[in-house]
Amino acid sequence: MRMRFDRGTVVFDQVGDGEDPAILVGATRDAELAAWRVPADRLADVRVRLSAADVRASDEIRTEPLDGAWAMPNLRWYQQLAIDAWRRAGDRGVIALPTGAGKTLVALGAIAAAGVAALVIVPTRVLLDQWARALALAWPGAIGRLGDGDHQVEAITVATYASALVWAPRIGDRFGLVVVDEAHHVGAWCPGEVFEMVVAAKRLGLTATPPGSGGALERHVGDVVYALGVADLVGDALAEFEVATIPIELADDERKVYRAARGTFAAAFARFQRDQPGAAWREFARASRRTVDGRAALAAWRASRAVLAYPAAKRVALRELLARHAGERVLVFTADNATAYAIARELLVMPITCDIGRAERAAMLDRFRAGDANVLVSAQVLDEGLDVPEADIAIIVGGTASTRRHVQRIGRVLRPRPGKRAKVYELATRATTEAAQVVRRRRGLEPMAVSP
């Protein structure tokens, strides 16, 4: 029989007499081609099965090796241990390291060690640029780019999640290794179908906070093979830091609006949970959009969040903190873009949001790096992946229930330097959902060492 790559699958045609297609577990018959197909990611397994059954096959799928000398900086102890653990696991699995610990450098070391063509997939265009620059500094060959208007495929190629999904049916046979950044998105923002259309048996996931076992990430990339948390690296690879929670009181009119809105939402959500025990928030939101009462409940939920986003006491507290740390580099995190823009207008500081173009964003970060502007404010863009210049202070005006996002935010101020001690301020409104969120988020800062 003959094996070839076609539209994200491996096609087996010219099956000879006496060759049983049943050996191709999971194969489906393509009547038009008179051939059998299996998902591309099953190639390694099929090769083993064919060899064990002594079935000869003409294999036309060949991923290219990487030829060239890498210019790699020295790896830190934990970065090398992470790569070693990944290699022991058969060049497959997830490495979890906190923001600022150098996950990109770990990936470069892994690609160099694997020695095969690599596809790196990332969530955003910003990260596409960052990865392409980092790879170009370490690898002498051309770096391919798929996304943000670029359509260049090379032995090492960086693609956004969206572009990888579009291009995988055409190029999924060219790579022996696939690296996925911000790997906790696999199965959601990053569709699992991407991995099914790539023949690469070697797979590496990078994340600051891995999801639980048994999900799409484990299925398509592998288990967590090495993990360290913020607490594991503080004082070594990360700066010492302290977290201070500043209690915020709502004004009487704000409290009245919050309680009314929260009450309307809570009553509707409780009814939904009684009718559908164990249902997730997403299911509640989907069901609520179909009814008048449900839409009112969602509107009330948004209204309660709007009160907490930037009440008068947070305005006062933020001004006081910025005055206390005048001249220091400060990152301000908000719950939404509207609050980020409100702070930018009120305090004349620079906003970094998804609405700001690449060139303008780069110029703002350059000014921040140079010290011409000392404060950046953002809702989510600074949370994940973006290479932010060194900062000492983080002020969380609007928090998040996500432990992962909280760890990423704190990681933005943990780049070490001699004598540095970063400060993180959380503005948390008393007797609201923010108080409980603070407790949950702190768990993400505890040790989580995993090193088989």
Side-chain angles (χ1 to χ4, degrees):
M1 67 177 68
R2 180 178 69 152
M3 291 188 290
R4 59 188 176 85
F5 182 82
D6 179 70
R7 289 172 287 172
T9 64
V10 176
V11 173
F12 298 82
D13 50 20
Q14 299 178 0
V15 178
D17 294 338
E19 293 178 340
D20 185 0
I23 197 172
L24 309 176
V25 176
T28 57
R29 181 71 174 171
D30 187 321
E32 182 179 347
L33 292 178
W36 295 85
R37 290 181 182 270
V38 299
D41 65 343
R42 298 290 305 278
L43 177 62
D45 177 57
V46 169
R47 281 172 169 164
V48 170
R49 289 177 178 275
L50 293 177
S51 177
D54 200 25
V55 174
R56 298 181 63 184
S58 171
D59 191 343
E60 299 180 0
I61 302 172
R62 290 284 183 270
T63 56
E64 58 184 300
L66 291 179
D67 295 319
W70 287 78
M72 290 283 296
N74 292 329
L75 297 174
R76 296 183 64 87
W77 61 270
Y78 61 89
Q79 293 168 332
Q80 187 60 60
L81 287 177
I83 295 171
D84 293 344
W86 178 73
R87 302 231 68 187
R88 286 195 303 272
D91 292 353
R92 193 175 179 94
V94 177
I95 293 173
L97 294 172
T99 301
K103 290 188 290 295
T104 301
L105 186 55
V106 170
L108 298 185
I111 296 170
V116 293
L119 175 66
V120 180
I121 58 177
V122 302
T124 64
R125 293 173 294 174
V126 172
L127 282 172
L128 176 73
D129 290 332
Q130 284 185 192
W131 272 91
R133 288 197 301 270
L135 285 161
L137 291 174
W139 170 248
I143 303 300
R145 293 168 57 106
L146 296 174
D148 202 15
D150 294 320
H151 307 94
Q152 180 183 3
V153 181
E154 301 290 348
I156 298 180
T157 295
V158 188
T160 62
Y161 293 166
S163 294
L165 185 62
V166 172
W167 279 79
R170 287 173 276 177
I171 65 172
D173 61 333
R174 296 187 55 171
F175 305 98
L177 166 64
V178 58
V179 178
V180 53
D181 195 15
E182 306 298 350
H184 46 271
H185 292 308
V186 170
W189 187 3
C190 179
E193 293 88 338
V194 172
F195 303 92
E196 296 173 359
M197 294 187 289
V198 178
V199 301
K202 301 177 188 291
R203 300 189 171 195
L204 171 62
L206 303 170
T207 181
T209 51
S213 60
L217 178 58
E218 181 179 307
R219 186 165 61 254
H220 294 297
V221 179
D223 299 325
V224 175
V225 296
Y226 190 87
L228 294 176
V230 170
D232 298 311
L233 293 176
V234 165
D236 183 354
L238 301 176
E240 298 278 357
F241 72 100
E242 57 185 280
V243 180
T245 300
I246 298 178
I248 298 296
E249 296 287 355
L250 292 177
D252 290 343
D253 58 335
E254 294 169 337
R255 178 73 63 183
K256 183 177 180 180
V257 171
Y258 174 79
R259 285 178 174 170
R262 189 70 189 177
T264 299
F265 160 72
F269 190 59
R271 287 194 299 270
F272 179 80
Q273 288 187 313
R274 283 196 300 271
D275 294 339
Q276 300 188 41
W281 164 261
R282 186 176 301 177
E283 295 168 284
F284 168 76
R286 187 184 304 118
S288 296
R289 294 189 189 100
R290 303 190 189 115
T291 67
V292 173
D293 288 345
R295 289 191 291 273
L298 289 177
W301 175 75
R302 288 189 291 269
S304 69
R305 285 170 55 87
V307 173
L308 300 183
Y310 199 38
K314 284 189 177 181
R315 285 180 160 84
V316 173
L318 178 59
R319 286 180 178 276
E320 291 177 352
L321 289 172
L322 291 178
R324 184 186 308 173
H325 294 285
E328 299 179 73
R329 290 192 179 96
V330 180
L331 302 178
V332 178
F333 296 95
T334 67
D336 52 58
N337 279 352
T339 304
Y341 285 126
I343 291 172
R345 289 191 299 269
E346 289 176 17
L347 304 180
L348 302 180
V349 299
M350 295 191 300
I352 299 286
T353 73
C354 57
D355 301 324
I356 294 174
R358 179 169 57 182
E360 185 178 358
R361 180 167 51 229
M364 288 179 173
L365 293 175
D366 284 342
R367 290 186 61 200
F368 187 77
R369 185 178 292 108
D372 296 333
N374 292 326
V375 180
L376 294 178
V377 57
S378 176
Q380 294 187 32
V381 171
L382 296 181
D383 290 4
E384 191 167 88
L386 183 63
D387 187 11
V388 180
E390 184 177 306
D392 299 323
I393 311 297
I395 304 175
I396 301 172
V397 172
T400 168
S402 167
T403 298
R404 171 183 55 81
R405 285 180 57 192
H406 187 63
V407 169
Q408 289 172 321
R409 287 178 165 189
I410 288 179
R412 297 296 168 212
V413 297
L414 298 188
R415 289 188 177 182
R417 70 167 183 272
K420 176 177 176 177
R421 186 173 182 84
K423 293 182 181 295
V424 179
Y425 297 98
E426 298 177 291
L427 309 187
T429 311
R430 291 183 189 270
T432 70
T433 54
E434 283 190 336
Q437 286 177 0
V438 167
V439 176
R440 288 198 300 271
R441 292 195 306 248
R442 293 286 180 94
R443 297 182 190 134
L445 304 179
E446 297 172 356
M448 65 169 186
V450 174
S451 51

